[in-house]
Amino acid sequence: MSDEQPSKGRMTARSSVARVGRRISLLTLTQVLAVAEHLNFRHAAEALGMSQSSLSTRIRNLEEEIGVLVFERRHRGVRLTEAGRAFVAEIASGLGQIDHAVTVAKTFAEGRSGRLRIGLHGVPATGFVGTLLGNYGRNRLGIELVVTEGQIEDAVPAVIGDHVDIALVVGEPRAPQCHSRLLWSEPLVLTLGQNHRLAARDEIHWRNLDGETFLIRHGGAGPLVRDHAVRRMGEHGITLHFRRVDVERDTLMQMVSRGEGVTFSGTSLKAVASEGLIWRPIADDDEPVRLHALWSPQNRSKTLRDLLAMAGKTRAGYRSAPR
Protein backbone atom coordinates (compact mmCIF):
# COMPACT_ATOMS: atom_id res chain seq x y z
CA MET A 1 0.00 0.00 0.00
CA SER A 2 2.80 2.42 0.90
CA ASP A 3 4.32 2.07 -2.59
CA GLU A 4 1.08 3.28 -4.18
CA GLN A 5 0.68 6.46 -2.16
CA PRO A 6 3.36 8.59 -3.89
CA SER A 7 1.95 7.65 -7.30
CA LYS A 8 -1.54 8.68 -6.26
CA GLY A 9 -0.13 11.86 -4.77
CA ARG A 10 1.64 12.72 -7.99
CA MET A 11 -1.49 12.01 -10.00
CA THR A 12 -3.50 14.24 -7.68
CA ALA A 13 -0.93 17.03 -7.97
CA ARG A 14 -0.85 16.79 -11.75
CA SER A 15 -4.64 16.79 -11.93
CA SER A 16 -4.76 19.83 -9.67
CA VAL A 17 -2.25 21.71 -11.81
CA ALA A 18 -4.17 20.80 -14.96
CA ARG A 19 -7.41 22.10 -13.45
CA VAL A 20 -5.73 25.36 -12.45
CA GLY A 21 -4.21 25.73 -15.91
CA ARG A 22 -7.59 25.37 -17.57
CA ARG A 23 -9.01 28.19 -15.41
CA ILE A 24 -6.32 30.72 -16.36
CA SER A 25 -7.31 32.79 -19.39
CA LEU A 26 -4.94 33.86 -22.15
CA LEU A 27 -5.88 37.45 -21.33
CA THR A 28 -4.60 37.06 -17.78
CA LEU A 29 -1.34 35.55 -19.03
CA THR A 30 -0.93 38.46 -21.45
CA GLN A 31 -1.41 40.84 -18.53
CA VAL A 32 1.31 39.03 -16.56
CA LEU A 33 3.70 39.52 -19.47
CA ALA A 34 2.85 43.22 -19.65
CA VAL A 35 3.63 43.72 -15.95
CA ALA A 36 6.83 41.70 -16.32
CA GLU A 37 7.87 43.92 -19.21
CA HIS A 38 7.13 47.29 -17.52
CA LEU A 39 7.79 46.20 -13.89
CA ASN A 40 5.20 48.80 -13.01
CA PHE A 41 1.43 48.27 -12.65
CA ARG A 42 0.51 51.77 -13.73
CA HIS A 43 2.60 51.68 -16.89
CA ALA A 44 1.43 48.16 -17.72
CA ALA A 45 -2.22 49.15 -17.16
CA GLU A 46 -1.83 52.13 -19.50
CA ALA A 47 -0.33 49.90 -22.19
CA LEU A 48 -3.20 47.45 -21.80
CA GLY A 49 -5.87 50.15 -21.72
CA MET A 50 -7.26 49.21 -18.31
CA SER A 51 -7.22 50.62 -14.79
CA GLN A 52 -4.28 49.99 -12.50
CA SER A 53 -6.52 48.65 -9.76
CA SER A 54 -8.17 46.13 -12.09
CA LEU A 55 -4.80 44.92 -13.31
CA SER A 56 -3.44 44.62 -9.80
CA THR A 57 -6.50 42.65 -8.71
CA ARG A 58 -6.20 40.30 -11.71
CA ILE A 59 -2.56 39.54 -10.94
CA ARG A 60 -3.27 39.05 -7.25
CA ASN A 61 -6.09 36.61 -8.05
CA LEU A 62 -3.78 34.70 -10.38
CA GLU A 63 -1.10 34.38 -7.71
CA GLU A 64 -3.66 33.08 -5.26
CA GLU A 65 -5.01 30.65 -7.85
CA ILE A 66 -1.63 29.09 -8.63
CA GLY A 67 -0.23 29.45 -5.13
CA VAL A 68 2.91 31.27 -6.31
CA LEU A 69 4.08 34.84 -5.70
CA VAL A 70 5.00 36.08 -9.17
CA PHE A 71 5.79 39.74 -8.32
CA GLU A 72 7.24 41.45 -5.29
CA ARG A 73 5.45 44.77 -4.79
CA ARG A 74 7.62 47.78 -4.07
CA HIS A 75 6.98 51.51 -3.67
CA ARG A 76 8.39 52.31 -7.11
CA GLY A 77 7.14 49.31 -8.98
CA VAL A 78 7.54 45.55 -8.82
CA ARG A 79 10.14 42.94 -9.48
CA LEU A 80 9.83 39.32 -10.50
CA THR A 81 10.47 36.63 -7.92
CA GLU A 82 12.65 33.71 -8.92
CA ALA A 83 9.51 31.60 -9.41
CA GLY A 84 7.96 34.50 -11.28
CA ARG A 85 10.84 34.66 -13.77
CA ALA A 86 10.45 30.95 -14.53
CA PHE A 87 6.67 31.38 -14.82
CA VAL A 88 6.97 34.34 -17.22
CA ALA A 89 9.52 32.52 -19.38
CA GLU A 90 7.15 29.59 -19.80
CA ILE A 91 4.21 31.91 -20.53
CA ALA A 92 6.19 33.70 -23.24
CA SER A 93 7.17 30.38 -24.80
CA GLY A 94 3.61 29.06 -24.66
CA LEU A 95 2.05 32.20 -26.13
CA GLY A 96 4.70 32.18 -28.85
CA GLN A 97 3.63 28.64 -29.75
CA ILE A 98 0.01 29.73 -29.84
CA ASP A 99 0.89 32.67 -32.11
CA HIS A 100 2.79 30.28 -34.37
CA ALA A 101 -0.15 27.86 -34.40
CA VAL A 102 -2.52 30.67 -35.41
CA THR A 103 -0.14 31.80 -38.16
CA VAL A 104 0.18 28.26 -39.53
CA ALA A 105 -3.59 27.75 -39.41
CA LYS A 106 -4.12 30.99 -41.33
CA THR A 107 -1.71 29.97 -44.08
CA PHE A 108 -3.72 26.77 -44.55
CA ALA A 109 -7.09 28.57 -44.39
CA GLU A 110 -5.89 31.18 -46.90
CA GLY A 111 -4.57 28.56 -49.31
CA ARG A 112 -0.91 29.52 -48.90
CA SER A 113 0.10 26.18 -47.38
CA GLY A 114 -1.26 22.68 -47.45
CA ARG A 115 -1.85 19.85 -49.86
CA LEU A 116 -4.20 19.35 -52.80
CA ARG A 117 -5.00 15.81 -53.95
CA ILE A 118 -5.93 15.62 -57.63
CA GLY A 119 -7.19 12.48 -59.33
CA LEU A 120 -6.77 12.12 -63.11
CA HIS A 121 -9.37 9.68 -64.41
CA GLY A 122 -8.91 8.89 -68.08
CA VAL A 123 -7.14 12.22 -68.39
CA PRO A 124 -3.53 12.64 -69.57
CA ALA A 125 -1.42 15.21 -67.73
CA THR A 126 -0.77 17.00 -71.02
CA GLY A 127 -2.36 19.83 -72.97
CA PHE A 128 -4.85 21.82 -70.93
CA VAL A 129 -4.42 19.70 -67.79
CA GLY A 130 -0.63 19.95 -67.91
CA THR A 131 -0.84 23.72 -68.34
CA LEU A 132 -3.34 24.00 -65.47
CA LEU A 133 -1.17 22.01 -63.07
CA GLY A 134 1.90 24.00 -64.10
CA ASN A 135 0.13 27.34 -63.60
CA TYR A 136 -1.19 26.31 -60.20
CA GLY A 137 2.16 25.01 -59.03
CA ARG A 138 3.96 28.21 -60.03
CA ASN A 139 1.38 30.43 -58.31
CA ARG A 140 0.95 28.32 -55.15
CA LEU A 141 4.49 27.39 -54.16
CA GLY A 142 3.42 26.47 -50.62
CA ILE A 143 0.92 23.85 -51.82
CA GLU A 144 1.96 20.23 -52.29
CA LEU A 145 0.22 18.77 -55.35
CA VAL A 146 -0.48 15.04 -54.98
CA VAL A 147 -1.56 13.71 -58.39
CA THR A 148 -2.86 10.16 -58.83
CA GLU A 149 -4.33 8.33 -61.82
CA GLY A 150 -7.37 6.07 -61.87
CA GLN A 151 -10.14 4.60 -63.98
CA ILE A 152 -13.07 6.77 -65.02
CA GLU A 153 -15.49 4.67 -62.98
CA ASP A 154 -13.38 5.28 -59.87
CA ALA A 155 -13.69 9.08 -60.00
CA VAL A 156 -16.92 9.42 -58.00
CA PRO A 157 -15.93 6.86 -55.29
CA ALA A 158 -12.55 8.62 -54.95
CA VAL A 159 -14.27 11.94 -54.24
CA ILE A 160 -16.95 10.50 -51.95
CA GLY A 161 -14.40 8.43 -50.06
CA ASP A 162 -12.18 11.49 -49.54
CA HIS A 163 -9.28 9.90 -51.39
CA VAL A 164 -8.93 12.99 -53.59
CA ASP A 165 -9.98 16.61 -53.18
CA ILE A 166 -10.91 16.91 -56.84
CA ALA A 167 -11.24 14.44 -59.69
CA LEU A 168 -10.63 15.44 -63.31
CA VAL A 169 -12.54 12.98 -65.45
CA VAL A 170 -13.20 12.49 -69.17
CA GLY A 171 -16.87 12.45 -70.10
CA GLU A 172 -19.96 13.59 -68.24
CA PRO A 173 -20.24 11.46 -65.10
CA ARG A 174 -23.54 11.12 -63.29
CA ALA A 175 -22.72 12.19 -59.77
CA PRO A 176 -25.63 13.97 -58.02
CA GLN A 177 -23.77 13.68 -54.71
CA CYS A 178 -20.84 15.71 -56.08
CA HIS A 179 -20.38 19.19 -57.41
CA SER A 180 -19.45 19.13 -61.09
CA ARG A 181 -18.07 21.65 -63.55
CA LEU A 182 -17.05 21.47 -67.21
CA LEU A 183 -13.43 22.59 -67.30
CA TRP A 184 -12.40 21.95 -70.87
CA SER A 185 -13.41 20.45 -74.20
CA GLU A 186 -11.35 19.66 -77.26
CA PRO A 187 -11.82 17.95 -80.62
CA LEU A 188 -11.62 14.19 -80.90
CA VAL A 189 -8.99 13.17 -83.45
CA LEU A 190 -8.09 9.93 -85.13
CA THR A 191 -4.63 8.64 -84.23
CA LEU A 192 -2.88 6.45 -86.79
CA GLY A 193 0.59 5.35 -87.79
CA GLN A 194 2.52 7.38 -90.34
CA ASN A 195 2.46 4.45 -92.78
CA HIS A 196 -1.29 3.92 -92.51
CA ARG A 197 -3.29 3.97 -95.78
CA LEU A 198 -5.13 7.13 -94.61
CA ALA A 199 -2.05 8.99 -93.38
CA ALA A 200 -1.73 11.07 -96.55
CA ARG A 201 -5.24 12.50 -96.20
CA ASP A 202 -5.66 15.90 -94.58
CA GLU A 203 -9.28 15.13 -93.78
CA ILE A 204 -10.93 11.83 -92.97
CA HIS A 205 -14.62 10.89 -92.95
CA TRP A 206 -16.24 8.03 -91.10
CA ARG A 207 -16.93 6.16 -94.35
CA ASN A 208 -13.17 6.03 -94.92
CA LEU A 209 -12.80 3.95 -91.73
CA ASP A 210 -14.95 1.04 -92.90
CA GLY A 211 -13.20 -2.22 -91.98
CA GLU A 212 -10.63 -0.55 -89.71
CA THR A 213 -9.35 -2.12 -86.51
CA PHE A 214 -9.75 0.15 -83.48
CA LEU A 215 -7.42 -0.43 -80.56
CA ILE A 216 -9.35 0.22 -77.34
CA ARG A 217 -7.87 0.21 -73.85
CA HIS A 218 -9.70 -1.69 -71.10
CA GLY A 219 -9.12 1.24 -68.77
CA GLY A 220 -8.84 5.00 -69.06
CA ALA A 221 -11.10 6.51 -71.71
CA GLY A 222 -11.19 3.21 -73.64
CA PRO A 223 -14.87 2.38 -72.89
CA LEU A 224 -15.95 5.90 -73.88
CA VAL A 225 -14.00 5.68 -77.13
CA ARG A 226 -15.62 2.36 -77.98
CA ASP A 227 -19.14 3.66 -77.23
CA HIS A 228 -18.50 6.66 -79.44
CA ALA A 229 -17.23 4.52 -82.33
CA VAL A 230 -20.16 2.09 -82.00
CA ARG A 231 -22.64 4.98 -82.30
CA ARG A 232 -20.94 6.31 -85.41
CA MET A 233 -20.71 2.81 -86.90
CA GLY A 234 -24.49 2.52 -86.71
CA GLU A 235 -25.07 6.03 -88.02
CA HIS A 236 -22.82 5.62 -91.07
CA GLY A 237 -23.51 1.95 -91.86
CA ILE A 238 -19.88 0.86 -91.64
CA THR A 239 -18.11 -2.03 -89.96
CA LEU A 240 -15.39 -1.48 -87.37
CA HIS A 241 -13.34 -4.15 -85.63
CA PHE A 242 -12.55 -3.54 -81.98
CA ARG A 243 -9.50 -5.00 -80.29
CA ARG A 244 -9.43 -4.41 -76.55
CA VAL A 245 -5.96 -4.27 -75.04
CA ASP A 246 -4.94 -4.17 -71.39
CA VAL A 247 -2.06 -1.69 -71.73
CA GLU A 248 -1.16 1.83 -70.62
CA ARG A 249 -1.63 4.83 -72.90
CA ASP A 250 2.02 4.98 -74.02
CA THR A 251 2.01 1.31 -75.04
CA LEU A 252 -1.23 1.83 -76.97
CA MET A 253 0.38 4.64 -78.94
CA GLN A 254 3.34 2.41 -79.77
CA MET A 255 0.96 -0.26 -81.07
CA VAL A 256 -0.74 2.34 -83.28
CA SER A 257 2.61 3.55 -84.61
CA ARG A 258 3.47 -0.05 -85.58
CA GLY A 259 0.29 -0.25 -87.66
CA GLU A 260 -1.66 -2.67 -85.44
CA GLY A 261 -4.74 -0.45 -85.61
CA VAL A 262 -6.03 3.06 -85.06
CA THR A 263 -7.55 4.80 -82.05
CA PHE A 264 -9.08 8.06 -80.91
CA SER A 265 -7.41 10.72 -78.80
CA GLY A 266 -8.05 14.21 -77.58
CA THR A 267 -5.88 16.85 -79.21
CA SER A 268 -4.00 17.27 -75.91
CA LEU A 269 -2.15 14.01 -76.57
CA LYS A 270 -0.47 15.62 -79.59
CA ALA A 271 1.86 17.27 -77.07
CA VAL A 272 3.27 13.84 -76.21
CA ALA A 273 6.28 12.48 -78.08
CA SER A 274 4.72 11.44 -81.36
CA GLU A 275 7.33 9.49 -83.27
CA GLY A 276 5.58 7.45 -85.95
CA LEU A 277 2.12 8.90 -85.20
CA ILE A 278 -0.22 11.16 -87.13
CA TRP A 279 -3.40 12.88 -85.91
CA ARG A 280 -6.26 13.64 -88.25
CA PRO A 281 -9.68 15.21 -87.56
CA ILE A 282 -12.88 13.39 -88.50
CA ALA A 283 -14.62 15.84 -90.83
CA ASP A 284 -18.15 14.60 -90.14
CA ASP A 285 -17.79 14.28 -86.34
CA ASP A 286 -18.03 17.40 -84.18
CA GLU A 287 -18.51 15.72 -80.79
CA PRO A 288 -15.70 16.94 -78.50
CA VAL A 289 -13.85 15.31 -75.63
CA ARG A 290 -15.15 16.88 -72.41
CA LEU A 291 -13.22 17.20 -69.18
CA HIS A 292 -15.22 17.61 -65.98
CA ALA A 293 -14.14 18.36 -62.43
CA LEU A 294 -15.84 16.60 -59.52
CA TRP A 295 -15.54 17.54 -55.85
CA SER A 296 -17.43 17.04 -52.61
CA PRO A 297 -19.92 19.73 -51.49
CA GLN A 298 -18.38 19.40 -48.03
CA ASN A 299 -14.91 20.33 -49.29
CA ARG A 300 -14.62 24.10 -48.88
CA SER A 301 -10.84 24.34 -48.85
CA LYS A 302 -9.22 27.45 -50.27
CA THR A 303 -6.73 25.32 -52.24
CA LEU A 304 -9.61 23.65 -54.10
CA ARG A 305 -11.35 26.96 -54.82
CA ASP A 306 -8.06 28.38 -56.09
CA LEU A 307 -7.59 25.47 -58.50
CA LEU A 308 -11.08 25.98 -59.94
CA ALA A 309 -10.40 29.70 -60.34
CA MET A 310 -7.05 28.90 -61.97
CA ALA A 311 -8.83 26.52 -64.37
CA GLY A 312 -10.99 29.40 -65.61
CA LYS A 313 -7.96 31.62 -66.19
CA THR A 314 -6.02 28.81 -67.85
CA ARG A 315 -8.95 28.02 -70.12
CA ALA A 316 -9.19 31.64 -71.28
CA GLY A 317 -5.45 31.85 -71.94
CA TYR A 318 -5.29 28.42 -73.58
CA ARG A 319 -8.12 29.26 -75.98
CA SER A 320 -6.43 32.48 -77.11
CA ALA A 321 -2.91 31.05 -77.44
CA PRO A 322 -1.62 30.28 -80.95
CA ARG A 323 -1.86 26.60 -81.80
Side-chain angles (χ1 to χ4, degrees):
M1 293 294 291
S2 60
D3 291 339
E4 296 180 0
Q5 293 303 317
S7 177
K8 289 182 178 179
R10 286 193 296 271
M11 290 176 62
T12 301
R14 285 196 296 269
S15 299
S16 176
V17 170
R19 286 195 297 272
V20 170
R22 284 195 293 269
R23 289 197 296 266
I24 301 173
S25 70
L26 290 178
L27 177 59
T28 300
L29 297 179
T30 302
Q31 292 166 348
V32 170
L33 290 181
V35 176
E37 178 183 355
H38 292 278
L39 294 178
N40 185 289
F41 276 106
R42 181 170 64 83
H43 294 162
E46 290 174 352
L48 292 168
M50 62 188 301
S51 69
Q52 179 178 341
S53 60
S54 295
L55 177 59
S56 180
T57 300
R58 288 276 189 109
I59 300 300
R60 180 69 71 186
N61 290 340
L62 169 69
E63 291 174 325
E64 292 176 358
E65 181 74 27
I66 65 176
V68 172
L69 184 65
V70 178
F71 298 103
E72 289 181 356
R73 278 73 173 172
R74 296 183 168 192
H75 292 298
R76 293 184 174 275
V78 298
R79 82 176 183 91
L80 284 162
T81 64
E82 184 176 1
R85 283 194 294 272
F87 184 56
V88 166
E90 293 298 325
I91 291 174
S93 176
L95 292 182
Q97 286 296 318
I98 292 174
D99 287 342
H100 177 68
V102 170
T103 299
V104 169
K106 284 183 175 179
T107 64
F108 276 79
E110 294 169 357
R112 292 182 286 119
S113 294
R115 181 178 63 165
L116 183 63
R117 300 165 301 166
I118 303 173
L120 303 183
H121 297 267
V123 180
T126 58
F128 171 79
V129 173
T131 302
L132 170 61
L133 297 181
N135 289 345
Y136 187 88
R138 284 189 294 273
N139 286 275
R140 296 292 184 273
L141 297 177
I143 304 300
E144 177 190 5
L145 285 182
V146 180
V147 180
T148 57
E149 291 187 308
Q151 304 299 331
I152 292 176
E153 60 270 21
D154 296 332
V156 175
V159 172
I160 295 175
D162 194 32
H163 301 301
V164 298
D165 296 301
I166 186 169
L168 306 184
V169 56
V170 169
E172 301 180 42
R174 296 178 181 177
Q177 62 273 64
C178 298
H179 284 327
S180 174
R181 180 183 298 178
L182 175 64
L183 292 188
W184 178 250
S185 63
E186 62 187 25
L188 191 68
V189 293
L190 184 70
T191 308
L192 58 159
Q194 62 184 6
N195 295 321
H196 191 277
R197 63 182 180 85
L198 298 175
R201 290 176 175 262
D202 293 330
E203 194 175 76
I204 297 174
H205 293 77
W206 272 103
R207 66 176 181 273
N208 303 133
L209 298 174
D210 190 27
E212 280 295 333
T213 296
F214 269 78
L215 300 179
I216 307 294
R217 293 175 60 207
H218 281 283
L224 293 180
V225 169
R226 186 183 188 281
D227 290 346
H228 180 82
V230 167
R231 288 198 304 273
R232 296 298 184 260
M233 182 171 61
E235 293 168 1
H236 295 274
I238 61 176
T239 299
L240 303 176
H241 305 289
F242 298 103
R243 177 184 170 193
R244 302 188 69 173
V245 291
D246 189 14
V247 297
E248 295 299 320
R249 187 183 298 110
D250 290 346
T251 302
L252 177 70
M253 292 300 154
Q254 292 173 14
M255 295 173 69
V256 171
S257 70
R258 292 195 298 267
E260 296 183 37
V262 300
T263 194
F264 276 124
S265 308
T267 53
S268 60
L269 270 182
K270 294 171 68 174
V272 180
S274 57
E275 183 178 355
L277 293 176
I278 292 175
W279 285 268
R280 292 289 183 266
I282 305 296
D284 49 354
D285 193 333
D286 59 358
E287 183 175 335
V289 178
R290 293 183 174 88
L291 169 65
H292 279 78
L294 299 178
W295 69 96
S296 169
Q298 284 73 47
N299 191 334
R300 299 181 176 86
S301 74
K302 183 66 164 53
T303 52
L304 172 59
R305 297 198 304 273
D306 285 348
L307 180 70
L308 292 171
M310 183 67 70
K313 295 178 181 178
T314 300
R315 179 174 180 168
Y318 206 78
R319 292 283 190 204
S320 61
R323 311 302 280 181

